[in-house]
Amino acid sequence: MKFSILFVILILISQVNTASLLTGTYGSNSTALIHERRDIKEIDVLRQLINQETLIRVSVVRDVTAVMDDVKSLKRRIKTQSQHNVLAETIEALQIKLDSLSQDNSLQLQVEALQRQIDNLSKNSTLVQTVEMLVSQVNSMRQDNALQQKVESLRRQIESLSKDHQRISTNQNKIQDFGEMLKILEENITDVHKDLQRDIKQIIENGSKLNRDCMDFYLAGLSPTDVYRIHPYNNESQVHVYCDMETEGGGWTAIQKRSSGSIGFDRTWAEYKKGFGDPSDSYWIGNDVIHQLTKGNKSSLYVSITLRNGTTLYELYHQFSVSDESDNYRLFLGGPATGTLGDSMRSYDLSGMSFSTPDRDNNGSRGYNCAAYSTRRGGWWFNDCHRAFLNGPWSPGSWSAPWYPTVTDSKQIKETFMMIKPT
């Protein structure tokens, strides 16, 4: 505070002196001197002195200004120093708290209490005693003779089980060998069964009873589907036919079978009359044989077409017969027709129609022979011409409407059957 008052007085003094110098105001002594000395040189000398005095006063003012600047700088320093003092006081207060905190021994007391608990636990012998007791029991159990006996018993059981396992392994090997032997035996039995069936077949075929159709073989106990010799005329005349012993109860005699195009069906009247082909692949049994087996309208007809995708479609006609050659092997279909193929034979009125071949036209309804037409060359019962025709050209695209509308493209066909058996 004292320093501030002194500073104000200095500023006032400097302002008064500075004003006197700047306004040219002089004291009474200076004025009298000027009036007493009139000499011009003296006046000039006096003027020079006055100028020098003025310069000195200006210098003094400059010095006073510098002092004022120093005072201002000093004030700023004092202010900064005050701030430093506040910071120092704050630090000192924090240091005091820190010392107080350092002197607080509550945490130390807690640590010491915990250490005492740990020491007490270390001195507690209960756990140690428990462990020692368990160790003693284990040692006692090891020394226990009864336990040792149990261990020995278990060891003997393990040895016994090991021996049993060895015996089981040996037996399994024997069973495997026996299974292989059994397989060989089954194959031998199968071969013997086939040989026995063949022998029975020959005995039956050569026996006193003449087997007229496949049903006779079936009733005699022959079950394999195969090629057999039948006597359709009840005499020594025999015909090789394909017998289906599985479909719809078995005993079916195939009158038509086509499994490939190796055998053509573009045949003459005489060939269809007698029959042609190979019963194991493709053949026509012969119109005379069909007549012999079906006369009296006491036979069923089973027609099936197997497609190349594996699907088999069929149609079962419960009454089927064919007349003799004098009546041009006229077809008769009666009773219900059931199946998945469709009744395409009767839908186009084939029942009642005569048989035609490329060299003999018996349909007589159009003026040209349906059996000789390029896409229908083959023997069949035509009626202007057909919706069902299983004896057409096997070549793709040349066989017209095998069984319309179910099978319209011959390229779909893999196999066909026409089979009969007595009802």
PDB file of all heavy atoms in Angstrom, residues 394-409:
ATOM      1  N   TRP A 394     -39.871-102.174 -85.016  1.00  0.00           N
ATOM      2  CA  TRP A 394     -39.189-101.766 -83.773  1.00  0.00           C
ATOM      3  C   TRP A 394     -38.383-100.484 -83.959  1.00  0.00           C
ATOM      4  O   TRP A 394     -38.091 -99.780 -83.001  1.00  0.00           O
ATOM      5  CB  TRP A 394     -38.286-102.915 -83.317  1.00  0.00           C
ATOM      6  CG  TRP A 394     -37.720-102.724 -81.928  1.00  0.00           C
ATOM      7  CD1 TRP A 394     -36.512-102.179 -81.599  1.00  0.00           C
ATOM      8  CD2 TRP A 394     -38.334-103.090 -80.696  1.00  0.00           C
ATOM      9  NE1 TRP A 394     -36.331-102.178 -80.241  1.00  0.00           N
ATOM     10  CE2 TRP A 394     -37.454-102.735 -79.655  1.00  0.00           C
ATOM     11  CE3 TRP A 394     -39.558-103.690 -80.353  1.00  0.00           C
ATOM     12  CZ2 TRP A 394     -37.728-102.956 -78.309  1.00  0.00           C
ATOM     13  CZ3 TRP A 394     -39.827-103.901 -79.016  1.00  0.00           C
ATOM     14  CH2 TRP A 394     -38.924-103.538 -78.012  1.00  0.00           C
ATOM     15  N   SER A 395     -38.001-100.179 -85.178  1.00  0.00           N
ATOM     16  CA  SER A 395     -37.171 -99.001 -85.429  1.00  0.00           C
ATOM     17  C   SER A 395     -37.861 -97.743 -84.933  1.00  0.00           C
ATOM     18  O   SER A 395     -39.074 -97.564 -85.153  1.00  0.00           O
ATOM     19  CB  SER A 395     -36.887 -98.854 -86.931  1.00  0.00           C
ATOM     20  OG  SER A 395     -36.214 -99.987 -87.422  1.00  0.00           O
ATOM     21  N   PRO A 396     -37.120 -96.856 -84.265  1.00  0.00           N
ATOM     22  CA  PRO A 396     -37.720 -95.620 -83.739  1.00  0.00           C
ATOM     23  C   PRO A 396     -38.370 -94.789 -84.834  1.00  0.00           C
ATOM     24  O   PRO A 396     -37.811 -94.600 -85.906  1.00  0.00           O
ATOM     25  CB  PRO A 396     -36.515 -94.879 -83.126  1.00  0.00           C
ATOM     26  CG  PRO A 396     -35.516 -95.936 -82.825  1.00  0.00           C
ATOM     27  CD  PRO A 396     -35.694 -96.974 -83.906  1.00  0.00           C
ATOM     28  N   GLY A 397     -39.568 -94.313 -84.574  1.00  0.00           N
ATOM     29  CA  GLY A 397     -40.276 -93.466 -85.526  1.00  0.00           C
ATOM     30  C   GLY A 397     -41.054 -94.226 -86.579  1.00  0.00           C
ATOM     31  O   GLY A 397     -41.832 -93.629 -87.324  1.00  0.00           O
ATOM     32  N   SER A 398     -40.849 -95.556 -86.650  1.00  0.00           N
ATOM     33  CA  SER A 398     -41.527 -96.341 -87.687  1.00  0.00           C
ATOM     34  C   SER A 398     -42.712 -97.127 -87.157  1.00  0.00           C
ATOM     35  O   SER A 398     -43.451 -97.738 -87.925  1.00  0.00           O
ATOM     36  CB  SER A 398     -40.522 -97.324 -88.335  1.00  0.00           C
ATOM     37  OG  SER A 398     -39.452 -96.618 -88.924  1.00  0.00           O
ATOM     38  N   TRP A 399     -42.903 -97.128 -85.862  1.00  0.00           N
ATOM     39  CA  TRP A 399     -43.972 -97.912 -85.238  1.00  0.00           C
ATOM     40  C   TRP A 399     -45.077 -96.945 -84.824  1.00  0.00           C
ATOM     41  O   TRP A 399     -44.924 -96.141 -83.929  1.00  0.00           O
ATOM     42  CB  TRP A 399     -43.393 -98.637 -84.030  1.00  0.00           C
ATOM     43  CG  TRP A 399     -44.312 -99.571 -83.313  1.00  0.00           C
ATOM     44  CD1 TRP A 399     -45.639 -99.768 -83.520  1.00  0.00           C
ATOM     45  CD2 TRP A 399     -43.934-100.448 -82.242  1.00  0.00           C
ATOM     46  NE1 TRP A 399     -46.136-100.694 -82.667  1.00  0.00           N
ATOM     47  CE2 TRP A 399     -45.108-101.152 -81.862  1.00  0.00           C
ATOM     48  CE3 TRP A 399     -42.750-100.725 -81.584  1.00  0.00           C
ATOM     49  CZ2 TRP A 399     -45.097-102.079 -80.840  1.00  0.00           C
ATOM     50  CZ3 TRP A 399     -42.738-101.660 -80.581  1.00  0.00           C
ATOM     51  CH2 TRP A 399     -43.903-102.335 -80.201  1.00  0.00           C
ATOM     52  N   SER A 400     -46.189 -97.036 -85.484  1.00  0.00           N
ATOM     53  CA  SER A 400     -47.271 -96.077 -85.287  1.00  0.00           C
ATOM     54  C   SER A 400     -48.202 -96.505 -84.166  1.00  0.00           C
ATOM     55  O   SER A 400     -48.721 -97.617 -84.192  1.00  0.00           O
ATOM     56  CB  SER A 400     -48.072 -95.921 -86.594  1.00  0.00           C
ATOM     57  OG  SER A 400     -49.194 -95.106 -86.400  1.00  0.00           O
ATOM     58  N   ALA A 401     -48.406 -95.589 -83.195  1.00  0.00           N
ATOM     59  CA  ALA A 401     -49.396 -95.741 -82.120  1.00  0.00           C
ATOM     60  C   ALA A 401     -49.420 -97.136 -81.517  1.00  0.00           C
ATOM     61  O   ALA A 401     -50.371 -97.892 -81.700  1.00  0.00           O
ATOM     62  CB  ALA A 401     -50.778 -95.387 -82.633  1.00  0.00           C
ATOM     63  N   PRO A 402     -48.406 -97.529 -80.734  1.00  0.00           N
ATOM     64  CA  PRO A 402     -48.394 -98.866 -80.127  1.00  0.00           C
ATOM     65  C   PRO A 402     -49.601 -99.123 -79.225  1.00  0.00           C
ATOM     66  O   PRO A 402     -50.178-100.205 -79.272  1.00  0.00           O
ATOM     67  CB  PRO A 402     -47.085 -98.873 -79.318  1.00  0.00           C
ATOM     68  CG  PRO A 402     -46.229 -97.839 -79.971  1.00  0.00           C
ATOM     69  CD  PRO A 402     -47.155 -96.777 -80.436  1.00  0.00           C
ATOM     70  N   TRP A 403     -49.976 -98.093 -78.428  1.00  0.00           N
ATOM     71  CA  TRP A 403     -51.141 -98.274 -77.552  1.00  0.00           C
ATOM     72  C   TRP A 403     -51.688 -96.883 -77.211  1.00  0.00           C
ATOM     73  O   TRP A 403     -51.345 -96.295 -76.214  1.00  0.00           O
ATOM     74  CB  TRP A 403     -50.746 -99.021 -76.278  1.00  0.00           C
ATOM     75  CG  TRP A 403     -51.915 -99.699 -75.604  1.00  0.00           C
ATOM     76  CD1 TRP A 403     -52.785 -99.153 -74.726  1.00  0.00           C
ATOM     77  CD2 TRP A 403     -52.324-101.048 -75.780  1.00  0.00           C
ATOM     78  NE1 TRP A 403     -53.731-100.064 -74.343  1.00  0.00           N
ATOM     79  CE2 TRP A 403     -53.463-101.266 -74.988  1.00  0.00           C
ATOM     80  CE3 TRP A 403     -51.854-102.117 -76.552  1.00  0.00           C
ATOM     81  CZ2 TRP A 403     -54.119-102.480 -74.915  1.00  0.00           C
ATOM     82  CZ3 TRP A 403     -52.509-103.329 -76.469  1.00  0.00           C
ATOM     83  CH2 TRP A 403     -53.636-103.502 -75.657  1.00  0.00           C
ATOM     84  N   TYR A 404     -52.535 -96.401 -78.098  1.00  0.00           N
ATOM     85  CA  TYR A 404     -53.034 -95.035 -77.992  1.00  0.00           C
ATOM     86  C   TYR A 404     -54.194 -94.966 -76.980  1.00  0.00           C
ATOM     87  O   TYR A 404     -55.040 -95.866 -76.962  1.00  0.00           O
ATOM     88  CB  TYR A 404     -53.531 -94.580 -79.371  1.00  0.00           C
ATOM     89  CG  TYR A 404     -53.987 -93.145 -79.422  1.00  0.00           C
ATOM     90  CD1 TYR A 404     -53.084 -92.125 -79.669  1.00  0.00           C
ATOM     91  CD2 TYR A 404     -55.324 -92.825 -79.204  1.00  0.00           C
ATOM     92  CE1 TYR A 404     -53.506 -90.806 -79.717  1.00  0.00           C
ATOM     93  CE2 TYR A 404     -55.754 -91.506 -79.241  1.00  0.00           C
ATOM     94  CZ  TYR A 404     -54.842 -90.503 -79.500  1.00  0.00           C
ATOM     95  OH  TYR A 404     -55.255 -89.203 -79.539  1.00  0.00           O
ATOM     96  N   PRO A 405     -54.270 -93.926 -76.116  1.00  0.00           N
ATOM     97  CA  PRO A 405     -53.369 -92.757 -76.040  1.00  0.00           C
ATOM     98  C   PRO A 405     -52.296 -92.877 -74.964  1.00  0.00           C
ATOM     99  O   PRO A 405     -51.559 -91.937 -74.732  1.00  0.00           O
ATOM    100  CB  PRO A 405     -54.335 -91.644 -75.668  1.00  0.00           C
ATOM    101  CG  PRO A 405     -55.316 -92.302 -74.751  1.00  0.00           C
ATOM    102  CD  PRO A 405     -55.478 -93.716 -75.274  1.00  0.00           C
ATOM    103  N   THR A 406     -52.183 -94.046 -74.298  1.00  0.00           N
ATOM    104  CA  THR A 406     -51.234 -94.167 -73.188  1.00  0.00           C
ATOM    105  C   THR A 406     -49.794 -94.168 -73.668  1.00  0.00           C
ATOM    106  O   THR A 406     -48.943 -93.472 -73.109  1.00  0.00           O
ATOM    107  CB  THR A 406     -51.518 -95.445 -72.387  1.00  0.00           C
ATOM    108  OG1 THR A 406     -52.904 -95.497 -72.057  1.00  0.00           O
ATOM    109  CG2 THR A 406     -50.707 -95.481 -71.110  1.00  0.00           C
ATOM    110  N   VAL A 407     -49.495 -94.947 -74.688  1.00  0.00           N
ATOM    111  CA  VAL A 407     -48.138 -95.020 -75.248  1.00  0.00           C
ATOM    112  C   VAL A 407     -48.241 -94.689 -76.736  1.00  0.00           C
ATOM    113  O   VAL A 407     -48.739 -95.507 -77.515  1.00  0.00           O
ATOM    114  CB  VAL A 407     -47.510 -96.414 -75.045  1.00  0.00           C
ATOM    115  CG1 VAL A 407     -46.094 -96.438 -75.597  1.00  0.00           C
ATOM    116  CG2 VAL A 407     -47.514 -96.790 -73.568  1.00  0.00           C
ATOM    117  N   THR A 408     -47.783 -93.512 -77.093  1.00  0.00           N
ATOM    118  CA  THR A 408     -47.928 -93.050 -78.485  1.00  0.00           C
ATOM    119  C   THR A 408     -46.616 -93.100 -79.258  1.00  0.00           C
ATOM    120  O   THR A 408     -46.623 -92.987 -80.478  1.00  0.00           O
ATOM    121  CB  THR A 408     -48.448 -91.610 -78.515  1.00  0.00           C
ATOM    122  OG1 THR A 408     -47.544 -90.755 -77.795  1.00  0.00           O
ATOM    123  CG2 THR A 408     -49.818 -91.521 -77.857  1.00  0.00           C
ATOM    124  N   ASP A 409     -45.507 -93.249 -78.555  1.00  0.00           N
ATOM    125  CA  ASP A 409     -44.198 -93.223 -79.211  1.00  0.00           C
ATOM    126  C   ASP A 409     -43.480 -94.537 -78.937  1.00  0.00           C
ATOM    127  O   ASP A 409     -43.257 -94.918 -77.791  1.00  0.00           O
ATOM    128  CB  ASP A 409     -43.373 -92.046 -78.668  1.00  0.00           C
ATOM    129  CG  ASP A 409     -42.069 -91.848 -79.428  1.00  0.00           C
ATOM    130  OD1 ASP A 409     -41.753 -92.676 -80.304  1.00  0.00           O
ATOM    131  OD2 ASP A 409     -41.360 -90.862 -79.127  1.00  0.00           O
TER     132      ASP A 409
END
